[in-house]
Amino acid sequence: VGDDPFGPALDEAVRNQPGGGRPVVVRRLASIGPDSGCHVLFVARSPAQTSAEALRAVAGQPVLTVADAGPGTEASAIVFVIQDGHVRFDIHEEVCKAAGLVVSSKLLGLSVSRRRTE
């Protein structure tokens, strides 16, 4: 949802991926509502909806949310961060749990940090 920072790279990446027997469809949206039907949501800057509004729209649903670090992205399951000039990610375990998502220990091990809600 929002501005597309990936361009054609995302379309290329999913073009030949089997998706576990299901088709992988990339949809670019200006805003999102609770009945989006998406499984993975990348939240980018959007003039139509703030990051916080987009994340609230799918809160508690089984949607893996991903965002760049910035205002309003605290409720995202995965947040991209820049560390030592490289793109890394944080995992917010409580958000994953609330969405009914289980994060593998391998993915947790690759994360820069595990953000927890106090």
Side-chain angles (χ1 to χ4, degrees):
V1 66
D3 297 338
D4 179 4
F6 305 109
L10 184 58
D11 296 311
E12 278 295 315
V14 301
R15 180 168 288 129
N16 296 314
Q17 297 299 316
R22 296 179 182 178
V24 176
V25 177
V26 175
R27 294 185 293 158
R28 291 167 176 85
L29 307 168
S31 63
I32 192 159
D35 299 323
S36 66
C38 72
H39 300 275
V40 178
L41 173 67
F42 181 81
V43 179
R45 183 177 41 212
S46 171
Q49 188 175 43
T50 68
S51 297
E53 290 169 337
L55 292 167
R56 275 194 303 273
V58 298
Q61 297 179 35
V63 176
L64 176 63
T65 54
V66 183
D68 285 330
T73 62
E74 299 81 15
S76 182
I78 296 175
V79 176
F80 290 133
V81 295
I82 303 295
Q83 187 178 61
D84 300 324
H86 295 92
V87 177
R88 305 282 190 226
F89 62 92
D90 289 337
I91 294 179
H92 194 162
E93 291 181 274
E94 294 298 322
V95 173
C96 295
K97 184 177 177 180
L101 304 173
V102 177
V103 182
S104 76
S105 59
K106 287 183 181 182
L107 188 60
L108 285 171
L110 294 172
S111 67
V112 172
S113 68
R114 299 180 195 176
R115 298 184 300 150
R116 296 178 188 264
T117 303
E118 300 300 328

